Tab-separated table of all heavy atoms in Angstrom:
chain	number	residue	atom	x	y	z
O	1	MET	N	-38.446	37.672	1.247
O	1	MET	CA	-37.888	36.506	0.566
O	1	MET	C	-36.372	36.447	0.753
O	1	MET	O	-35.701	37.456	0.701
O	1	MET	CB	-38.238	36.549	-0.929
O	1	MET	CG	-37.758	35.294	-1.618
O	1	MET	SD	-38.300	35.108	-3.324
O	1	MET	CE	-40.071	35.143	-3.167
O	2	HIS	N	-35.872	35.262	0.970
O	2	HIS	CA	-34.445	35.088	1.205
O	2	HIS	C	-33.852	34.217	0.110
O	2	HIS	O	-34.558	33.497	-0.565
O	2	HIS	CB	-34.218	34.412	2.554
O	2	HIS	CG	-34.872	35.120	3.682
O	2	HIS	ND1	-34.231	36.087	4.422
O	2	HIS	CD2	-36.128	35.020	4.177
O	2	HIS	CE1	-35.080	36.548	5.328
O	2	HIS	NE2	-36.227	35.926	5.203
O	3	LYS	N	-32.571	34.299	-0.009
O	3	LYS	CA	-31.865	33.523	-1.017
O	3	LYS	C	-30.782	32.699	-0.350
O	3	LYS	O	-30.107	33.170	0.564
O	3	LYS	CB	-31.208	34.480	-2.016
O	3	LYS	CG	-31.744	34.339	-3.425
O	3	LYS	CD	-30.960	35.235	-4.348
O	3	LYS	CE	-31.410	35.055	-5.780
O	3	LYS	NZ	-30.620	35.915	-6.674
O	4	ILE	N	-30.621	31.489	-0.841
O	4	ILE	CA	-29.533	30.668	-0.324
O	4	ILE	C	-28.921	29.895	-1.471
O	4	ILE	O	-29.603	29.520	-2.424
O	4	ILE	CB	-30.031	29.725	0.796
O	4	ILE	CG1	-28.854	29.076	1.501
O	4	ILE	CG2	-30.990	28.676	0.264
O	4	ILE	CD1	-29.238	28.391	2.798
O	5	LYS	N	-27.632	29.703	-1.385
O	5	LYS	CA	-26.905	29.028	-2.453
O	5	LYS	C	-26.300	27.744	-1.905
O	5	LYS	O	-25.709	27.750	-0.822
O	5	LYS	CB	-25.795	29.959	-2.947
O	5	LYS	CG	-25.168	29.520	-4.241
O	5	LYS	CD	-24.227	30.611	-4.719
O	5	LYS	CE	-23.548	30.225	-6.005
O	5	LYS	NZ	-22.638	31.273	-6.467
O	6	CYS	N	-26.465	26.674	-2.654
O	6	CYS	CA	-25.860	25.412	-2.244
O	6	CYS	C	-24.346	25.539	-2.334
O	6	CYS	O	-23.813	25.903	-3.370
O	6	CYS	CB	-26.357	24.280	-3.131
O	6	CYS	SG	-25.568	22.705	-2.751
O	7	LYS	N	-23.682	25.223	-1.224
O	7	LYS	CA	-22.227	25.358	-1.206
O	7	LYS	C	-21.558	24.268	-2.021
O	7	LYS	O	-20.397	24.369	-2.375
O	7	LYS	CB	-21.720	25.283	0.246
O	7	LYS	CG	-22.076	26.509	1.033
O	7	LYS	CD	-21.472	26.432	2.439
O	7	LYS	CE	-21.973	27.569	3.286
O	7	LYS	NZ	-22.825	27.098	4.380
O	8	ASN	N	-22.296	23.227	-2.285
O	8	ASN	CA	-21.699	22.091	-2.984
O	8	ASN	C	-21.822	22.218	-4.503
O	8	ASN	O	-20.835	22.144	-5.221
O	8	ASN	CB	-22.350	20.799	-2.498
O	8	ASN	CG	-21.616	19.573	-2.988
O	8	ASN	OD1	-20.391	19.518	-2.943
O	8	ASN	ND2	-22.356	18.598	-3.457
O	9	CYS	N	-23.045	22.445	-4.999
O	9	CYS	CA	-23.224	22.446	-6.454
O	9	CYS	C	-23.562	23.830	-7.005
O	9	CYS	O	-23.601	24.015	-8.208
O	9	CYS	CB	-24.287	21.430	-6.852
O	9	CYS	SG	-25.936	21.884	-6.331
O	10	GLY	N	-23.849	24.781	-6.133
O	10	GLY	CA	-23.987	26.157	-6.593
O	10	GLY	C	-25.373	26.587	-7.046
O	10	GLY	O	-25.551	27.717	-7.469
O	11	VAL	N	-26.370	25.700	-6.976
O	11	VAL	CA	-27.706	26.135	-7.362
O	11	VAL	C	-28.265	27.045	-6.277
O	11	VAL	O	-27.874	26.975	-5.114
O	11	VAL	CB	-28.687	24.962	-7.602
O	11	VAL	CG1	-28.258	24.130	-8.771
O	11	VAL	CG2	-28.850	24.131	-6.370
O	12	GLU	N	-29.175	27.898	-6.686
O	12	GLU	CA	-29.728	28.865	-5.756
O	12	GLU	C	-31.194	28.564	-5.485
O	12	GLU	O	-31.931	28.122	-6.358
O	12	GLU	CB	-29.579	30.273	-6.315
O	12	GLU	CG	-28.155	30.761	-6.256
O	12	GLU	CD	-28.054	32.225	-6.663
O	12	GLU	OE1	-28.685	32.611	-7.655
O	12	GLU	OE2	-27.352	32.975	-5.967
O	13	TYR	N	-31.573	28.835	-4.273
O	13	TYR	CA	-32.966	28.670	-3.869
O	13	TYR	C	-33.439	29.972	-3.244
O	13	TYR	O	-32.657	30.699	-2.658
O	13	TYR	CB	-33.097	27.584	-2.802
O	13	TYR	CG	-32.732	26.199	-3.254
O	13	TYR	CD1	-31.408	25.807	-3.337
O	13	TYR	CD2	-33.720	25.272	-3.566
O	13	TYR	CE1	-31.067	24.530	-3.741
O	13	TYR	CE2	-33.390	24.001	-3.963
O	13	TYR	CZ	-32.064	23.625	-4.050
O	13	TYR	OH	-31.734	22.360	-4.442
O	14	THR	N	-34.726	30.199	-3.356
O	14	THR	CA	-35.331	31.248	-2.550
O	14	THR	C	-36.200	30.563	-1.511
O	14	THR	O	-36.659	29.439	-1.700
O	14	THR	CB	-36.210	32.187	-3.388
O	14	THR	OG1	-37.233	31.420	-4.011
O	14	THR	CG2	-35.393	32.902	-4.451
O	15	TYR	N	-36.385	31.223	-0.405
O	15	TYR	CA	-37.252	30.668	0.624
O	15	TYR	C	-37.835	31.802	1.448
O	15	TYR	O	-37.387	32.935	1.378
O	15	TYR	CB	-36.506	29.679	1.526
O	15	TYR	CG	-35.410	30.287	2.374
O	15	TYR	CD1	-35.676	30.660	3.695
O	15	TYR	CD2	-34.134	30.483	1.862
O	15	TYR	CE1	-34.676	31.198	4.485
O	15	TYR	CE2	-33.132	31.031	2.647
O	15	TYR	CZ	-33.404	31.390	3.960
O	15	TYR	OH	-32.426	31.940	4.733
O	16	GLU	N	-38.833	31.447	2.208
O	16	GLU	CA	-39.433	32.421	3.098
O	16	GLU	C	-39.316	31.902	4.515
O	16	GLU	O	-39.083	30.725	4.735
O	16	GLU	CB	-40.900	32.646	2.717
O	16	GLU	CG	-41.017	33.397	1.409
O	16	GLU	CD	-42.449	33.455	0.913
O	16	GLU	OE1	-43.363	33.504	1.740
O	16	GLU	OE2	-42.619	33.442	-0.314
O	17	GLU	N	-39.474	32.795	5.446
O	17	GLU	CA	-39.394	32.378	6.841
O	17	GLU	C	-40.772	32.406	7.465
O	17	GLU	O	-41.593	33.261	7.169
O	17	GLU	CB	-38.436	33.287	7.614
O	17	GLU	CG	-37.001	32.904	7.355
O	17	GLU	CD	-36.027	33.734	8.170
O	17	GLU	OE1	-36.421	34.796	8.667
O	17	GLU	OE2	-34.871	33.295	8.291
O	18	GLU	N	-40.990	31.438	8.304
O	18	GLU	CA	-42.287	31.314	8.939
O	18	GLU	C	-42.074	31.151	10.435
O	18	GLU	O	-41.167	30.454	10.876
O	18	GLU	CB	-43.005	30.077	8.378
O	18	GLU	CG	-44.434	29.979	8.802
O	18	GLU	CD	-45.123	28.773	8.169
O	18	GLU	OE1	-44.515	28.141	7.269
O	18	GLU	OE2	-46.238	28.462	8.576
O	19	LYS	N	-42.911	31.823	11.202
O	19	LYS	CA	-42.799	31.712	12.649
O	19	LYS	C	-43.833	30.708	13.150
O	19	LYS	O	-45.013	30.821	12.848
O	19	LYS	CB	-43.037	33.077	13.298
O	19	LYS	CG	-42.550	33.127	14.717
O	19	LYS	CD	-42.350	34.569	15.165
O	19	LYS	CE	-41.989	34.731	16.634
O	19	LYS	NZ	-41.420	33.617	17.344
O	20	LEU	N	-43.332	29.734	13.871
O	20	LEU	CA	-44.223	28.704	14.390
O	20	LEU	C	-44.525	28.971	15.857
O	20	LEU	O	-43.817	29.732	16.519
O	20	LEU	CB	-43.557	27.328	14.256
O	20	LEU	CG	-43.106	26.897	12.856
O	20	LEU	CD1	-42.379	25.564	12.944
O	20	LEU	CD2	-44.291	26.779	11.918
O	21	ILE	N	-45.551	28.300	16.335
O	21	ILE	CA	-45.847	28.443	17.764
O	21	ILE	C	-45.146	27.354	18.556
O	21	ILE	O	-45.258	27.265	19.763
O	21	ILE	CB	-47.376	28.381	18.024
O	21	ILE	CG1	-47.966	27.111	17.396
O	21	ILE	CG2	-48.067	29.623	17.471
O	21	ILE	CD1	-49.383	26.829	17.842
O	22	PHE	N	-44.415	26.515	17.838
O	22	PHE	CA	-43.631	25.486	18.520
O	22	PHE	C	-42.239	25.466	17.900
O	22	PHE	O	-41.995	26.089	16.864
O	22	PHE	CB	-44.302	24.120	18.373
O	22	PHE	CG	-44.612	23.751	16.935
O	22	PHE	CD1	-43.675	23.097	16.156
O	22	PHE	CD2	-45.851	24.081	16.377
O	22	PHE	CE1	-43.958	22.773	14.834
O	22	PHE	CE2	-46.139	23.760	15.052
O	22	PHE	CZ	-45.192	23.104	14.287
O	23	ARG	N	-41.341	24.773	18.520
O	23	ARG	CA	-39.989	24.666	17.980
O	23	ARG	C	-39.925	23.528	16.983
O	23	ARG	O	-40.586	22.515	17.140
O	23	ARG	CB	-38.986	24.413	19.106
O	23	ARG	CG	-38.826	25.603	20.027
O	23	ARG	CD	-37.921	25.245	21.178
O	23	ARG	NE	-36.541	25.120	20.733
O	23	ARG	CZ	-35.688	26.141	20.653
O	23	ARG	NH1	-36.078	27.334	21.008
O	23	ARG	NH2	-34.460	25.964	20.238
O	24	ASP	N	-39.118	23.728	15.980
O	24	ASP	CA	-38.958	22.689	14.973
O	24	ASP	C	-37.469	22.449	14.767
O	24	ASP	O	-36.667	23.371	14.854
O	24	ASP	CB	-39.635	23.134	13.677
O	24	ASP	CG	-39.680	22.005	12.656
O	24	ASP	OD1	-39.859	20.843	13.070
O	24	ASP	OD2	-39.516	22.283	11.467
O	25	ASP	N	-37.130	21.222	14.512
O	25	ASP	CA	-35.734	20.847	14.329
O	25	ASP	C	-35.663	20.006	13.063
O	25	ASP	O	-36.123	18.871	13.046
O	25	ASP	CB	-35.276	20.058	15.557
O	25	ASP	CG	-33.814	19.637	15.431
O	25	ASP	OD1	-33.138	20.047	14.467
O	25	ASP	OD2	-33.358	18.898	16.314
O	26	ASP	N	-35.137	20.582	12.019
O	26	ASP	CA	-35.149	19.860	10.751
O	26	ASP	C	-34.090	20.473	9.825
O	26	ASP	O	-33.395	21.417	10.182
O	26	ASP	CB	-36.542	19.979	10.115
O	26	ASP	CG	-36.839	18.792	9.197
O	26	ASP	OD1	-35.924	18.004	8.921
O	26	ASP	OD2	-37.990	18.669	8.747
O	27	SER	N	-34.016	19.945	8.645
O	27	SER	CA	-33.078	20.491	7.673
O	27	SER	C	-33.650	20.308	6.277
O	27	SER	O	-34.615	19.571	6.081
O	27	SER	CB	-31.720	19.801	7.788
O	27	SER	OG	-31.844	18.429	7.507
O	28	TYR	N	-33.047	20.990	5.339
O	28	TYR	CA	-33.507	20.892	3.953
O	28	TYR	C	-32.305	20.548	3.084
O	28	TYR	O	-31.259	21.185	3.161
O	28	TYR	CB	-34.119	22.223	3.522
O	28	TYR	CG	-34.755	22.171	2.157
O	28	TYR	CD1	-36.036	21.670	2.000
O	28	TYR	CD2	-34.074	22.623	1.036
O	28	TYR	CE1	-36.626	21.609	0.748
O	28	TYR	CE2	-34.655	22.570	-0.218
O	28	TYR	CZ	-35.932	22.065	-0.354
O	28	TYR	OH	-36.506	22.006	-1.594
O	29	GLU	N	-32.490	19.521	2.274
O	29	GLU	CA	-31.376	19.089	1.424
O	29	GLU	C	-31.534	19.609	0.005
O	29	GLU	O	-32.640	19.709	-0.519
O	29	GLU	CB	-31.304	17.562	1.376
O	29	GLU	CG	-30.588	16.973	2.576
O	29	GLU	CD	-31.573	16.517	3.624
O	29	GLU	OE1	-32.556	15.874	3.244
O	29	GLU	OE2	-31.369	16.822	4.802
O	30	CYS	N	-30.421	19.888	-0.595
O	30	CYS	CA	-30.379	20.328	-1.984
O	30	CYS	C	-30.993	19.256	-2.877
O	30	CYS	O	-30.662	18.071	-2.766
O	30	CYS	CB	-28.928	20.585	-2.378
O	30	CYS	SG	-28.740	21.046	-4.104
O	31	LEU	N	-31.872	19.686	-3.765
O	31	LEU	CA	-32.533	18.723	-4.649
O	31	LEU	C	-31.594	18.195	-5.726
O	31	LEU	O	-31.847	17.164	-6.331
O	31	LEU	CB	-33.736	19.389	-5.324
O	31	LEU	CG	-34.850	19.835	-4.382
O	31	LEU	CD1	-35.902	20.587	-5.173
O	31	LEU	CD2	-35.471	18.652	-3.675
O	32	CYS	N	-30.531	18.915	-5.976
O	32	CYS	CA	-29.617	18.515	-7.052
O	32	CYS	C	-28.523	17.579	-6.574
O	32	CYS	O	-28.138	16.666	-7.289
O	32	CYS	CB	-28.982	19.747	-7.677
O	32	CYS	SG	-30.183	20.784	-8.497
O	33	CYS	N	-28.000	17.814	-5.383
O	33	CYS	CA	-26.841	17.029	-4.963
O	33	CYS	C	-27.020	16.383	-3.591
O	33	CYS	O	-26.187	15.590	-3.180
O	33	CYS	CB	-25.589	17.895	-4.972
O	33	CYS	SG	-25.587	19.148	-3.696
O	34	GLY	N	-28.079	16.712	-2.875
O	34	GLY	CA	-28.314	16.059	-1.590
O	34	GLY	C	-27.568	16.668	-0.421
O	34	GLY	O	-27.699	16.217	0.704
O	35	ASN	N	-26.792	17.688	-0.697
O	35	ASN	CA	-26.073	18.393	0.353
O	35	ASN	C	-27.072	19.096	1.291
O	35	ASN	O	-28.091	19.601	0.839
O	35	ASN	CB	-25.157	19.425	-0.320
O	35	ASN	CG	-24.388	20.256	0.678
O	35	ASN	OD1	-23.807	19.727	1.614
O	35	ASN	ND2	-24.395	21.559	0.469
O	36	THR	N	-26.786	19.104	2.574
O	36	THR	CA	-27.674	19.829	3.487
O	36	THR	C	-27.543	21.318	3.245
O	36	THR	O	-26.489	21.900	3.436
O	36	THR	CB	-27.345	19.505	4.950
O	36	THR	OG1	-27.510	18.108	5.151
O	36	THR	CG2	-28.267	20.262	5.891
O	37	LEU	N	-28.629	21.892	2.805
O	37	LEU	CA	-28.625	23.291	2.426
O	37	LEU	C	-28.706	24.183	3.655
O	37	LEU	O	-27.979	25.150	3.802
O	37	LEU	CB	-29.841	23.544	1.525
O	37	LEU	CG	-29.797	24.701	0.570
O	37	LEU	CD1	-28.658	24.541	-0.410
O	37	LEU	CD2	-31.114	24.775	-0.168
O	38	ILE	N	-29.621	23.820	4.515
O	38	ILE	CA	-29.853	24.644	5.695
O	38	ILE	C	-30.474	23.764	6.762
O	38	ILE	O	-31.203	22.835	6.457
O	38	ILE	CB	-30.764	25.846	5.323
O	38	ILE	CG1	-30.866	26.835	6.484
O	38	ILE	CG2	-32.137	25.401	4.881
O	38	ILE	CD1	-31.523	28.154	6.082
O	39	SER	N	-30.125	24.023	7.999
O	39	SER	CA	-30.779	23.304	9.085
O	39	SER	C	-31.203	24.323	10.127
O	39	SER	O	-30.650	25.411	10.205
O	39	SER	CB	-29.835	22.258	9.687
O	39	SER	OG	-28.668	22.864	10.174
O	40	TRP	N	-32.202	23.991	10.876
O	40	TRP	CA	-32.731	24.941	11.832
O	40	TRP	C	-33.175	24.226	13.101
O	40	TRP	O	-33.422	23.026	13.096
O	40	TRP	CB	-33.886	25.731	11.230
O	40	TRP	CG	-35.029	24.886	10.764
O	40	TRP	CD1	-36.111	24.517	11.501
O	40	TRP	CD2	-35.208	24.295	9.468
O	40	TRP	NE1	-36.957	23.748	10.742
O	40	TRP	CE2	-36.424	23.591	9.496
O	40	TRP	CE3	-34.454	24.307	8.286
O	40	TRP	CZ2	-36.908	22.890	8.384
O	40	TRP	CZ3	-34.942	23.608	7.189
O	40	TRP	CH2	-36.152	22.913	7.244
O	41	ASN	N	-33.232	24.974	14.140
O	41	ASN	CA	-33.703	24.463	15.422
O	41	ASN	C	-34.275	25.649	16.176
O	41	ASN	O	-33.560	26.411	16.788
O	41	ASN	CB	-32.535	23.808	16.183
O	41	ASN	CG	-32.995	23.239	17.509
O	41	ASN	OD1	-34.185	23.176	17.811
O	41	ASN	ND2	-32.045	22.833	18.319
O	42	GLY	N	-35.571	25.812	16.073
O	42	GLY	CA	-36.189	26.962	16.720
O	42	GLY	C	-37.580	27.162	16.209
O	42	GLY	O	-38.149	26.284	15.555
O	43	SER	N	-38.131	28.321	16.455
O	43	SER	CA	-39.519	28.556	16.073
O	43	SER	C	-39.637	29.406	14.812
O	43	SER	O	-40.721	29.635	14.321
O	43	SER	CB	-40.275	29.209	17.224
O	43	SER	OG	-39.660	30.411	17.594
O	44	VAL	N	-38.509	29.879	14.290
O	44	VAL	CA	-38.539	30.551	12.994
O	44	VAL	C	-37.861	29.623	11.997
O	44	VAL	O	-36.679	29.335	12.113
O	44	VAL	CB	-37.819	31.908	13.043
O	44	VAL	CG1	-37.828	32.558	11.665
O	44	VAL	CG2	-38.482	32.821	14.048
O	45	ILE	N	-38.640	29.154	11.052
O	45	ILE	CA	-38.106	28.146	10.134
O	45	ILE	C	-38.215	28.610	8.691
O	45	ILE	O	-39.139	29.330	8.321
O	45	ILE	CB	-38.848	26.802	10.299
O	45	ILE	CG1	-40.336	26.955	9.934
O	45	ILE	CG2	-38.701	26.267	11.708
O	45	ILE	CD1	-40.960	25.708	9.396
O	46	PRO	N	-37.267	28.195	7.874
O	46	PRO	CA	-37.357	28.479	6.450
O	46	PRO	C	-38.390	27.579	5.796
O	46	PRO	O	-38.534	26.420	6.176
O	46	PRO	CB	-35.949	28.181	5.934
O	46	PRO	CG	-35.365	27.233	6.919
O	46	PRO	CD	-36.052	27.480	8.225
O	47	THR	N	-39.118	28.110	4.848
O	47	THR	CA	-40.175	27.330	4.213
O	47	THR	C	-40.336	27.771	2.758
O	47	THR	O	-39.732	28.743	2.324
O	47	THR	CB	-41.498	27.511	4.986
O	47	THR	OG1	-42.504	26.726	4.377
O	47	THR	CG2	-41.935	28.959	4.980
O	48	LYS	N	-41.153	27.061	2.021
O	48	LYS	CA	-41.441	27.386	0.619
O	48	LYS	C	-40.166	27.499	-0.220
O	48	LYS	O	-39.944	28.506	-0.900
O	48	LYS	CB	-42.243	28.687	0.524
O	48	LYS	CG	-43.609	28.571	1.160
O	48	LYS	CD	-44.352	29.876	1.003
O	48	LYS	CE	-45.634	29.856	1.828
O	48	LYS	NZ	-46.180	31.193	2.006
O	49	PHE	N	-39.351	26.498	-0.131
O	49	PHE	CA	-38.125	26.509	-0.933
O	49	PHE	C	-38.460	26.432	-2.413
O	49	PHE	O	-39.311	25.657	-2.830
O	49	PHE	CB	-37.240	25.322	-0.560
O	49	PHE	CG	-36.523	25.526	0.731
O	49	PHE	CD1	-37.071	25.060	1.911
O	49	PHE	CD2	-35.313	26.190	0.766
O	49	PHE	CE1	-36.413	25.242	3.122
O	49	PHE	CE2	-34.653	26.378	1.964
O	49	PHE	CZ	-35.193	25.910	3.142
O	50	LYS	N	-37.791	27.239	-3.182
O	50	LYS	CA	-37.990	27.237	-4.617
O	50	LYS	C	-36.639	27.178	-5.295
O	50	LYS	O	-35.771	28.008	-5.044
O	50	LYS	CB	-38.716	28.531	-5.012
O	50	LYS	CG	-39.939	28.271	-5.845
O	50	LYS	CD	-40.399	29.581	-6.415
O	50	LYS	CE	-41.901	29.606	-6.624
O	50	LYS	NZ	-42.371	30.963	-6.794
O	51	LEU	N	-36.487	26.189	-6.133
O	51	LEU	CA	-35.219	26.028	-6.842
O	51	LEU	C	-35.134	27.017	-7.991
O	51	LEU	O	-36.010	27.060	-8.849
O	51	LEU	CB	-35.139	24.594	-7.360
O	51	LEU	CG	-33.945	24.224	-8.229
O	51	LEU	CD1	-32.647	24.370	-7.462
O	51	LEU	CD2	-34.091	22.785	-8.702
O	52	LEU	N	-34.108	27.836	-7.968
O	52	LEU	CA	-33.890	28.747	-9.087
O	52	LEU	C	-33.110	28.012	-10.155
O	52	LEU	O	-32.615	26.924	-9.946
O	52	LEU	CB	-33.114	29.976	-8.609
O	52	LEU	CG	-33.836	30.848	-7.592
O	52	LEU	CD1	-32.949	32.016	-7.211
O	52	LEU	CD2	-35.156	31.361	-8.135
O	53	LYS	N	-32.996	28.644	-11.281
O	53	LYS	CA	-32.284	28.014	-12.385
O	53	LYS	C	-30.858	27.677	-12.009
O	53	LYS	O	-30.175	28.458	-11.355
O	53	LYS	CB	-32.272	28.971	-13.571
O	53	LYS	CG	-33.178	28.470	-14.659
O	53	LYS	CD	-32.917	29.209	-15.946
O	53	LYS	CE	-33.629	28.530	-17.083
O	53	LYS	NZ	-33.568	29.305	-18.306
O	54	LYS	N	-30.453	26.528	-12.438
O	54	LYS	CA	-29.083	26.119	-12.208
O	54	LYS	C	-28.154	27.071	-12.939
O	54	LYS	O	-28.434	27.467	-14.065
O	54	LYS	CB	-28.884	24.705	-12.771
O	54	LYS	CG	-28.101	23.837	-11.825
O	54	LYS	CD	-27.961	22.436	-12.369
O	54	LYS	CE	-26.867	21.759	-11.563
O	54	LYS	NZ	-26.717	20.375	-11.821
O	55	PRO	N	-27.088	27.475	-12.282
O	55	PRO	CA	-26.151	28.358	-12.973
O	55	PRO	C	-25.596	27.674	-14.207
O	55	PRO	O	-25.443	26.468	-14.257
O	55	PRO	CB	-25.055	28.610	-11.936
O	55	PRO	CG	-25.240	27.577	-10.893
O	55	PRO	CD	-26.661	27.120	-10.947
O	56	ILE	N	-25.315	28.469	-15.213
O	56	ILE	CA	-24.788	27.926	-16.466
O	56	ILE	C	-23.445	27.252	-16.179
O	56	ILE	O	-22.615	27.786	-15.454
O	56	ILE	CB	-24.623	29.051	-17.507
O	56	ILE	CG1	-26.006	29.616	-17.826
O	56	ILE	CG2	-23.953	28.526	-18.778
O	56	ILE	CD1	-25.979	30.983	-18.459
O	57	ALA	N	-23.281	26.112	-16.743
O	57	ALA	CA	-22.043	25.358	-16.530
O	57	ALA	C	-20.825	26.192	-16.893
O	57	ALA	O	-20.902	27.096	-17.719
O	57	ALA	CB	-22.089	24.082	-17.360
O	58	ASP	N	-19.739	25.850	-16.258
O	58	ASP	CA	-18.529	26.643	-16.431
O	58	ASP	C	-17.949	26.537	-17.834
O	58	ASP	O	-16.938	25.899	-18.057
O	58	ASP	CB	-17.481	26.222	-15.398
O	58	ASP	CG	-18.004	26.412	-13.995
O	58	ASP	OD1	-18.597	27.466	-13.714
O	58	ASP	OD2	-17.815	25.512	-13.176
O	59	GLU	N	-18.611	27.191	-18.751
O	59	GLU	CA	-18.151	27.093	-20.138
O	59	GLU	C	-16.923	27.966	-20.375
O	59	GLU	O	-16.240	27.809	-21.373
O	59	GLU	CB	-19.267	27.544	-21.080
O	59	GLU	CG	-20.392	26.531	-21.132
O	59	GLU	CD	-21.585	27.077	-21.894
O	59	GLU	OE1	-22.178	28.047	-21.425
O	59	GLU	OE2	-21.890	26.536	-22.959
O	60	ASN	N	-16.713	28.893	-19.474
O	60	ASN	CA	-15.611	29.810	-19.686
O	60	ASN	C	-14.264	29.250	-19.236
O	60	ASN	O	-13.235	29.845	-19.474
O	60	ASN	CB	-15.880	31.110	-18.915
O	60	ASN	CG	-17.123	31.795	-19.446
O	60	ASN	OD1	-17.407	31.708	-20.631
O	60	ASN	ND2	-17.855	32.441	-18.577
O	61	ILE	N	-14.334	28.145	-18.546
O	61	ILE	CA	-13.077	27.587	-18.051
O	61	ILE	C	-12.381	26.799	-19.172
O	61	ILE	O	-12.843	25.762	-19.598
O	61	ILE	CB	-13.316	26.671	-16.843
O	61	ILE	CG1	-13.919	27.510	-15.699
O	61	ILE	CG2	-12.026	26.006	-16.395
O	61	ILE	CD1	-14.304	26.708	-14.497
O	62	ASP	N	-11.312	27.364	-19.617
O	62	ASP	CA	-10.504	26.687	-20.646
O	62	ASP	C	-9.214	26.195	-20.035
O	62	ASP	O	-8.616	26.863	-19.209
O	62	ASP	CB	-10.180	27.652	-21.787
O	62	ASP	CG	-11.412	27.934	-22.620
O	62	ASP	OD1	-12.178	26.984	-22.852
O	62	ASP	OD2	-11.638	29.098	-22.996
O	63	LYS	N	-8.808	25.041	-20.464
O	63	LYS	CA	-7.568	24.518	-19.901
O	63	LYS	C	-6.490	24.447	-20.965
O	63	LYS	O	-6.813	24.363	-22.140
O	63	LYS	CB	-7.804	23.134	-19.315
O	63	LYS	CG	-8.442	23.254	-17.945
O	63	LYS	CD	-8.553	21.900	-17.269
O	63	LYS	CE	-9.225	22.071	-15.911
O	63	LYS	NZ	-9.569	20.795	-15.335
F	101	ZN	ZN1	-26.496	21.213	-4.265
C-alpha cells in the first residue's frame, strides 16, 4: 500500500499499484480540490484510491 498527499489541499490518500498487460495513460484528481494528484503513463498504474481523513484544520495558527 502506498500513500500520497495532495500538494494543494493536504488530504492524504492510500492506493495500490497494479500491473497491466497494456499501457495506460491517465491521471487521478483530488476529490476535495480537483488538483491532479498523480498521473501515469505505463503498465504499472495506481489503483484503489482511498481518501483518508482530512487533516484537522489549522487551529493552531494564531495571528
Ligand atoms: Zn486536494
Side-chain angles (χ1 to χ4, degrees):
M1 184 172 302
H2 305 269
K3 243 185 176 181
I4 191 167
K5 193 172 179 180
C6 176
K7 289 184 187 113
N8 190 45
C9 69
V11 295
E12 287 187 316
Y13 295 80
T14 59
Y15 66 96
E16 289 172 33
E17 281 183 342
E18 189 177 351
K19 197 160 174 21
L20 303 176
I21 53 168
F22 53 88
R23 292 175 72 87
D24 189 36
D25 180 6
D26 207 350
S27 62
Y28 186 82
E29 278 97 45
C30 177
L31 296 175
C32 295
C33 69
N35 178 47
T36 300
L37 204 61
I38 188 169
S39 59
W40 59 90
N41 181 9
S43 58
V44 178
I45 63 151
T47 181
K48 296 181 189 164
F49 284 93
K50 232 192 210 163
L51 175 62
L52 296 180
K53 251 194 169 172
K54 224 178 165 172
I56 296 161
D58 301 315
E59 289 171 295
N60 297 327
I61 297 175
D62 288 320
K63 280 186 181 170

